[in-house]
Amino acid sequence: MPKVTSEYRAERRAHIMAAARRCFVRDGFHASSMQDLVAEAGISSGAVYRYFASKDEVIEAIAAENLDQVVAVLAQAIGEGASPQAALTAVLEFVTTRHREDGFAAIAVLVWSEALRNPPLADHLREAITSALATLSGDPHAAPDGGAHGTRTDDTAHHEPTAMAEVLLCVLPGYLMRLALGGAEAVANVPGAVERVLFVTGTSPAHP
């Protein structure tokens, strides 16, 4: 029997999660069963249960993946010296693109709603957010002194990545809600508004 590689396992897991996303966007969490996910994935139930023991595990995995991707985009923008507003704009543009591909915004809204009645999911999200904030604040490239952000005190530089993440966690839900309900057209002007409204006095953009 050929050895199953880690790449194969990752691809199979991603395939199952993509099928689950389609089911959840189309029918919602509660109307979608594990058998629905199996049928959508087009593989055996045994193969699905090898990766996920329950529908809740699939939901938690999707929620974690969404947050991880958002944090990765923000961290990359910060690490490359983007201004705070440009970093936030990069995240908004990323989630808009992802929503076109797989209903990212709709899944996010469903996850938040589910977390209100599912304490383990709520706990999982809180832990993931705490971990994300710690990752950002601990990034040695997050806020370089004297870089494109302009002159800042060491204390400001240290806390800026976490502050941006906190602002993002407040801005992003409203953005995703409008995106989920109205599509890309409904939020087309928001990234530009973020650039203007969140401009910080005494800083300069990373690009001319």
Side-chain angles (χ1 to χ4, degrees):
M1 181 177 180
K3 182 179 180 180
V4 176
T5 65
S6 58
E7 290 81 4
Y8 175 85
R9 288 193 294 271
E11 290 174 2
R12 181 54 66 95
R13 188 173 187 274
H15 174 79
I16 295 168
M17 290 173 64
R21 284 177 182 273
R22 294 193 296 272
C23 283
F24 295 150
V25 170
R26 182 176 64 241
D27 302 320
F29 288 154
H30 297 290
S32 301
S33 66
M34 279 295 280
Q35 286 309 306
D36 292 328
L37 272 57
V38 169
E40 184 72 25
I43 58 180
S44 69
S45 59
V48 172
Y49 280 101
R50 190 172 299 122
Y51 293 89
F52 300 100
S54 67
K55 185 173 68 174
D56 282 351
E57 281 194 10
V58 181
I59 294 171
E60 290 178 10
I62 289 174
E65 181 179 73
N66 283 2
L67 184 59
D68 287 347
Q69 291 175 349
V70 166
V71 169
V73 172
L74 183 60
Q76 179 178 353
I78 294 169
E80 292 175 352
S83 64
Q85 62 269 32
L88 295 179
T89 297
V91 172
L92 299 184
E93 292 174 346
F94 166 76
V95 299
T96 301
T97 299
R98 279 293 311 278
H99 182 66
R100 293 192 188 100
E101 295 172 351
D102 61 11
F104 186 101
I107 287 290
V109 173
L110 289 170
V111 166
W112 298 331
S113 177
E114 180 68 11
L116 294 177
R117 58 161 294 280
N118 185 332
L121 176 59
D123 289 342
H124 185 85
L125 289 178
R126 281 191 288 268
E127 291 171 4
I129 290 170
T130 298
S131 176
L133 291 173
T135 297
L136 288 170
S137 64
D139 184 351
H141 303 295
D145 292 338
H149 300 287
T151 302
R152 302 181 306 278
T153 65
D154 288 343
D155 185 65
T156 300
H158 176 73
H159 292 292
E160 185 176 82
T162 300
M164 274 189 280
E166 293 283 13
V167 170
L168 176 64
L169 291 175
C170 293
V171 172
L172 190 57
Y175 184 88
L176 289 171
M177 178 70 77
R178 291 193 64 193
L179 179 59
L181 295 177
E185 297 78 8
V187 295
N189 296 325
V190 176
V194 168
E195 289 276 1
R196 295 189 300 274
V197 174
L198 294 185
F199 184 81
V200 180
T201 302
T203 66
S204 58
H207 51 76

